[in-house]
């Protein structure tokens, strides 16, 4: 069965960097793109960007450009999302989800809570 | 960027009610619209893809429709398990954006 398992919760200091991993199983890793979404406490969903694990091409929302990097390791079927220069505004639950059009993002990770404190 | 305007932000309804949530895109998205249900502390669950294609395992009381740039999620007879927050998201061109969400509450 398809599973996306994300890394555990983290607490970071302002100015630090974070890395969230998303390990895929149960399907061909390179057949689906992976998108990242975050949700601040009590807020809505915010789309961050997407990576094609086959080749590694990425698209990042302008809001995060310059401090976000998404990578894919095909040997371990894992996608990584790095975010630098953290502020309290980055406190959120971060989700990965696979997607292959025409379907929308169908399988999601369990979410990773990242708390940024000063 | 394509903006998604979702309404209402909150909806109070009773079990058995018919419920309708609307998302309007700021330009054509060629049916590339998904609807999600999210419960507290859980990841979003995909309900509908391509504006009207019901995902496997999703109850048939859920349906999606479109008219131009206006998209609708309908729940024909609200069940206790349906009280949640619903989001639309377009996946036409980057960046993909979400609507603001609709919280369906018990009346």
């Amino acid at each position: 069965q398809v599973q996306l398992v994300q890394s555990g919760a983290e607490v970071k200091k302002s100015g630090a960097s974070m890395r969230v991993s998303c390990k895929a199983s149960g399907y061909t890793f390179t057949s689906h793109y992976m998108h990242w979404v975050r949700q601040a406490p009590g807020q809505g969903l915010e789309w961050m960007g997407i990576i094609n694990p086959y080749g590694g091409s990425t698209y990042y929302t302008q809001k995060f450009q310059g401090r976000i990097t998404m990578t894919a390791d095909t040997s371990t079927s894992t996608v990584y999302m790095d975010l630098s220069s953290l502020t309290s505004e980055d406190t959120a639950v971060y989700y990965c989800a696979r997607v292959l059009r025409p379907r929308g993002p169908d399988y999601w990770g369990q979410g990773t809570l990242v708390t940024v404190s000063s | 960027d394509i903006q998604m305007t979702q309404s209402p932000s909150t909806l109070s309804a009773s079990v058995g009610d018919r419920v309708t949530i609307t998302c309007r895109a700021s330009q054509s998205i060629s049916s590339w619209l998904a609807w999600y249900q999210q419960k507290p502390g859980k990841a979003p669950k995909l309900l509908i893809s391509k504006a009207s294609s019901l995902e496997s395992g999703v109850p048939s009381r859920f349906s999606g429709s479109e008219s131009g740039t206006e998209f609708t999620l309908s729940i024909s007879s609200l069940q206790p398990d349906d009280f949640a927050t619903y989001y639309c998201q377009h996946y036409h061109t980057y960046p993909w954006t979400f609507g603001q969400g609709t919280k369906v509450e018990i009346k």
Side-chain angles (χ1 to χ4, degrees):
Chain A
Q1 72 283 18
V2 175
Q3 278 192 302
L4 300 177
V5 179
Q6 297 182 219
S7 48
E10 296 191 63
V11 178
K12 296 290 184 181
K13 293 284 191 183
S14 290
S17 297
M18 59 175 267
R19 166 171 276 200
V20 179
S21 66
C22 173
K23 183 173 177 59
S25 61
Y27 71 99
T28 302
F29 178 64
T30 51
S31 66
H32 286 67
Y33 286 50
M34 197 77 78
H35 83 163
W36 288 87
V37 171
R38 76 177 186 179
Q39 187 169 37
Q43 302 302 307
L45 300 170
E46 180 177 27
W47 194 75
M48 301 179 71
I50 193 165
I51 182 168
N52 179 358
Y54 182 79
S57 62
T58 56
Y59 177 92
Y60 307 134
T61 301
Q62 186 171 16
K63 175 178 179 177
F64 299 104
Q65 283 182 10
R67 66 184 192 106
I68 191 171
T69 304
M70 295 178 188
T71 54
D73 183 343
T74 56
S75 68
T76 60
S77 298
T78 303
V79 171
Y80 299 93
M81 191 279 293
D82 296 319
L83 192 63
S84 62
S85 303
L86 296 173
T87 73
S88 59
E89 303 285 299
D90 295 313
T91 293
V93 176
Y94 291 79
Y95 294 102
C96 62
R98 74 166 200 176
V99 57
L100 181 65
R101 297 207 309 186
R103 293 178 73 190
D106 55 356
Y107 283 88
W108 291 64
Q110 81 276 19
T112 297
L113 174 62
V114 177
T115 303
V116 182
S117 65
S118 54
Chain B
D1 297 358
I2 298 172
Q3 308 303 317
M4 302 301 298
T5 303
Q6 186 173 344
S7 62
S9 55
T10 306
L11 191 160
S12 296
S14 302
V15 172
D17 285 353
R18 179 178 179 84
V19 164
T20 299
I21 298 168
T22 300
C23 259
R24 180 172 284 108
S26 59
Q27 62 190 75
S28 173
I29 57 172
S30 301
S31 303
W32 295 111
L33 185 99
W35 287 100
Y36 304 91
Q37 176 192 71
Q38 188 181 34
K39 295 184 177 179
K42 299 294 187 182
K45 174 186 176 183
L46 180 65
L47 299 176
I48 289 172
S49 293
K50 205 70 165 53
S52 60
S53 180
L54 197 68
E55 288 292 306
S56 175
V58 175
S60 58
R61 62 181 179 273
F62 291 91
S63 64
S65 63
E66 66 178 295
S67 177
T69 58
E70 185 168 295
F71 298 83
T72 300
L73 172 70
S74 297
I75 309 172
S76 60
S77 177
L78 200 64
Q79 298 302 301
D81 191 49
D82 301 338
F83 291 98
T85 301
Y86 294 85
Y87 294 92
C88 64
Q89 180 195 22
H90 89 81
Y91 54 113
H92 176 48
T93 54
Y94 300 146
W96 297 352
T97 49
F98 289 92
Q100 297 89 337
T102 296
K103 185 174 183 179
V104 177
E105 298 180 327
I106 301 173
K107 190 172 184 179

